[in-house]
């Protein structure tokens, strides 16, 4: 049986998952492929650290050079996360002619231009299935299966933490804080969940998906991002009364020659397929000109699903390794034009507004007057009678389609009215 | 730009879809891959036939040999359907060293052993993404992305016609006949829909999926098949009252060293992800030991989605062609053991029964008595008061888990009781 020697960079959750998979399914892979995948080295910061999965001592090293210079190692799996030193390691490995598999969304979303360019230049396979959606084969689908299509849109729920929180809030009437606490207790949210809650994790991922969908690299800093700050339990409930479910959506779509790319909470009609994505599950809906809409759904994170994706890429690597071949399908190219991203102000959406207004006659007409001035047309409105919240009552409104810049101006004006108490909540509606 | 010459066998819906895709997206593919895919020949039965898409006359031929002997043609796409002459053409093409792409589930489900064996022996790429689930990348996912996993189960709604009918029946209270007529008018059901309604189309497809999932070839004739015959609108409604949705399910799962593989209508709990698959959409739920559950969803048939899958495979072919390389991952092998399929009688399920009984005291106790004799334990029961159906009333019952052979014996006995009018309806419940 042929042997392939691998190195892992990092031995945290994902690294241990890969180690366990290659051990548990060694015979399965051997019988299927006639290949033996052996981990020869694992880069760690601290050899003595206690881990759930213990690898033999002689595998562990703290010296990346030892791995890089080892001619027997042909595939390097970067499973550390973060931009540096991951970026330097990936570039060095590619430069040295090693095949690279990475599970690192941040490094691709922030330094993908250089990494993709070097992989292309050196004609080396670079696998990154595990960087988005855990074990969901979304990278392979966008890169390979849908290659015949012009992709029109990618819409995803690609952060399990926030989806878990939104699901539990709505279904159990939990406050945001309570739901977050629960997510942390279940291990679905990290001790510092801010990358998830602020939408940054989703933005990293949609940057990668959009780069594949549209063929050129769209770095993370081009993504318009809103997190869950705008969402109260009350907004989830009002939305449901109107027939909508609120999800944290990452979306990229082509509009003429521009790409609109954004992450924000959005109202989806309750029969939308993405509303059936609950708890910590992820899903990505892709629209191509021939395939129509396809959806990929599964656990978007976690030790085992991520290991599944990494090993899928290791096997792809092996194929290129033996054939001394390079993928026919190119990696996303660097875009020269600066104007290819559509500013959020030019976006056209329907909106959900929740005004906090004093409970007094004429309030609605004042608000509606400002909206009318900006050409924003109201589709439906609910004014709730006085509640316990000292003097302020919620007025909830859905609009017809309107340009974001008008909404920004109108709300700015409305929020200065003396009848309005507190900042108006504003969510986009996607159909 | 490098040119790749292709032949199409068949110029029906799928053939025309592929032709249109390669025309519409020629520039897109050229820019992306630096390749030009040109259709050089199209095998048709009748050159003069009027078609929606007209190809230039000089492309059409009625002689397969002309294609087979053409050294410029490197990829042959079999898009005719049916077992023969498709099988002969595929085998001849592989034998000649041509790369083959097929959209034909029947030929793979019935003659896959020979076809896969020859592709393996000649070390030639054979693409068959379009054979199951239209544009849904389920073949690539099972073969490549999930290669690291031991697959435990594949569960699908893989026939759009029957799913459309079941959706409309339940949601609009339509009779089976009415829903079928509607499906035919919409083009979702063929003039002769019997392959779909009898579950044979689903059986072809689950045969292919199971072969990939479990690594050895499981021909269609090993699949236990029931169609929609057992399903009345009344059963869909009663099921919903119990919190279940009825779908035509194709499932293959590994139980110890055996494979259980079957197609039949089944009750799914209403929060099961597959119940959100409505109308003519398809979805496949795959469970692997590391990836957990993943779901792939989309249009499972139709001109454009199927063309998307065929062209995906054409591009994969091109990669192998240039590398003069063979896929590392093998095609399903012929299984030597005869005993690897678990007989349906040994299956263990929960059941839904609907008895048609006379409306008289003591009836329920008699039926329950027979069930008890066979060790079948009742989970819940609903007896509906007299209706218009002269004398017979429905008694609906859900059972706990029990072995299928017991159910067969018990129902045989119950259906001979003089208090029972007509054959008992029996559906399996999947959780």
């Amino acid at each position: 049986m042929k042997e392939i020697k691998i190195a892992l960079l990092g031995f945290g959750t994902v690294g241990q998952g890969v180690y366990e998979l290659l051990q548990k399914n060694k015979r399965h892979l051997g019988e299927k492929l006639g290949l033996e995948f052996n981990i020869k080295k694992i880069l760690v910061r601290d050899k003595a650290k206690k881990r759930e999965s213990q690898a033999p001592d002689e595998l562990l090293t703290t010296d990346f050079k030892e791995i890089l210079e080892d001619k027997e190692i042909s595939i390097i799996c970067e499973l550390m996360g973060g931009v540096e030193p991951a970026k330097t390691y990936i570039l060095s490995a590619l430069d040295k002619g090693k095949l690279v598999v990475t599970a690192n969304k941040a490094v691709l979303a922030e330094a993908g231009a250089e990494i993709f360019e070097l992989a292309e230049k050196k004609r080396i396979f670079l696998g990154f299935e595990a960087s988005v959606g855990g074990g969901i084969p979304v990278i392979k689908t966008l890169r390979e299966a849908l290659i015949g299509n012009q992709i029109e849109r990618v819409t995803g729920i690609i952060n399990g933490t926030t989806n878990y929180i939104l699901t539990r809030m709505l279904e159990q009437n939990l406050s945001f804080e309570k739901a977050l606490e629960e997510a942390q207790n279940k291990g679905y949210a990290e001790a510092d969940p801010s990358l998830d809650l602020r939408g940054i994790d989703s933005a990293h991922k949609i940057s990668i998906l959009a780069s594949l969908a549209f063929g050129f690299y769209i770095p993370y800093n081009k993504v318009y991002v809103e997190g869950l700050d705008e969402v109260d339990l009350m907004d989830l409930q009002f939305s449901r009364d109107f027939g909508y479910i609120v999800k944290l959506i990452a979306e990229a779509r082509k509009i003429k020659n521009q790409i609109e790319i954004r992450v924000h909470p959005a109202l989806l009609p309750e029969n939308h397929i993405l509303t059936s994505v609950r708890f910590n599950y992820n899903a990505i809906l892709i629209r191509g000109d021939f395939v129509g809409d396809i959806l990929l759904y599964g656990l978007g994170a976690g030790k085992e699903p991520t290991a599944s994706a990494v090993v899928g890429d290791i096997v792809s690597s092996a194929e290129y390794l033996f054939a001394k071949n390079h993928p026919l399908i190119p990696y996303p190219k660097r875009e020269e034009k600066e104007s290819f991203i559509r500013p959020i102000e030019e976006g056209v959406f329907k909106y959900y507004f929740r005004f906090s207004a004093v409970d007094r006659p004429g309030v609605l007409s004042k608000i509606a007057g400002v909206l009318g001035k900006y050409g924003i047309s109201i589709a439906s409105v609910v004014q709730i009678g006085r509640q316990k919240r000292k003097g302020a009552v919620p007025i909830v409104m859905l609009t017809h389609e309107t340009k974001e810049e008008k909404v920004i101006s109108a709300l700015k004006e409305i929020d200065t009215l003396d009848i309005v108490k507190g900042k108006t909540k504003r969510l986009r509606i996607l159909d």
Side-chain angles (χ1 to χ4, degrees), chain A residues 44-340:
Chain A
V44 293
R45 247 179 308 202
D46 176 6
K47 285 202 208 184
K49 186 175 169 186
K50 277 272 161 227
R51 296 173 176 90
E52 247 184 73
S53 267
Q54 284 295 0
D57 259 358
E58 65 269 24
L59 263 57
L60 304 184
T61 174
T62 55
D63 181 11
F64 175 63
K65 279 241 172 72
E66 204 183 299
I67 289 169
L68 191 67
E69 303 297 337
D70 189 328
K71 293 211 169 87
E72 283 189 354
I73 292 171
S74 42
I75 303 170
I76 293 185
C77 302
E78 184 278 299
L79 312 170
M80 304 184 301
V83 177
E84 282 294 2
K87 177 184 166 189
T88 305
Y89 292 170
I90 291 173
L91 292 173
S92 315
L94 289 171
D95 200 55
K96 204 72 177 177
K98 311 272 189 202
L99 289 82
V100 172
V101 174
T102 176
N104 187 338
K105 56 207 166 257
V107 76
L108 292 176
E110 303 200 16
E114 278 169 85
I115 294 171
F116 289 134
E117 208 163 57
L118 186 60
E120 202 63 49
K121 188 180 137 209
K122 301 282 286 184
R123 302 186 61 72
I124 287 176
F125 175 79
L126 170 76
F128 50 103
E129 185 64 81
S131 67
V132 183
I136 303 169
V138 62
I139 304 292
K140 203 176 250 302
T141 296
L142 276 171
R143 256 179 72 77
E144 303 175 22
L146 302 185
I147 180 85
N149 292 265
Q150 301 197 49
I151 303 298
E152 297 166 3
R153 192 165 77 182
V154 178
T155 310
I157 294 173
I158 46 183
N159 180 271
T161 307
T162 47
N163 200 49
Y164 183 87
I165 290 171
L166 290 172
T167 305
R168 293 294 291 172
M169 284 172 74
L170 182 64
E171 297 186 4
Q172 304 295 321
N173 297 319
L174 299 184
S175 67
F176 173 82
E177 291 71 22
K178 203 88 195 134
L180 170 60
E181 195 190 315
E182 199 187 89
Q184 284 173 319
N185 290 339
K186 293 214 170 205
Y188 298 153
E190 297 180 51
D192 173 8
S194 70
L195 284 184
D196 296 314
L197 302 182
R198 284 159 55 214
I200 295 171
D201 178 77
S202 293
H204 279 147
K205 292 168 179 169
I206 195 70
S207 138
I208 297 171
L209 296 182
S211 300
L212 290 170
F214 304 118
F216 52 84
Y217 181 63
I218 303 171
Y220 157 75
N221 63 20
K222 301 280 184 191
V223 184
Y224 174 80
V225 192
E226 286 172 21
L228 288 192
D229 326 6
E230 292 283 316
V231 179
D232 280 353
L233 175 57
M234 203 195 302
D235 297 306
L236 305 189
Q237 291 167 333
F238 282 132
S239 298
R240 185 175 50 192
D241 295 343
F242 281 109
Y244 292 91
I245 304 290
V246 177
K247 294 285 186 186
L248 185 68
I249 294 295
E251 187 166 71
R253 54 180 179 172
K254 197 161 193 175
I255 297 173
K256 288 174 195 156
N257 287 319
Q258 287 190 309
I259 305 297
E260 185 178 273
I261 181 164
R262 50 195 159 67
V263 171
H264 53 79
L267 280 69
L268 302 177
E270 60 195 351
N271 65 358
H272 192 293
I273 185 79
L274 284 175
T275 64
S276 53
V277 180
R278 295 159 68 224
F279 303 114
N280 57 328
Y281 277 87
N282 283 15
I284 302 107
L285 187 63
I286 305 169
R287 177 172 290 176
D289 60 347
F290 275 76
V291 78
D293 279 329
I294 70 165
L295 179 93
L296 310 178
Y297 163 99
L299 286 171
K303 185 181 193 171
E304 289 86 7
T306 310
S308 163
V310 170
V311 173
D313 274 348
I314 289 176
V315 174
S316 293
S317 306
E319 183 161 317
Y320 289 107
L321 188 68
F322 290 134
K324 297 184 174 40
N325 190 28
H326 177 73
L328 174 64
I329 299 166
Y331 296 105
K333 288 176 183 44
R334 218 185 267 262
E335 177 70 7
E336 283 106 48
K337 291 189 300 258
E338 263 303 299
S339 61
F340 67 95

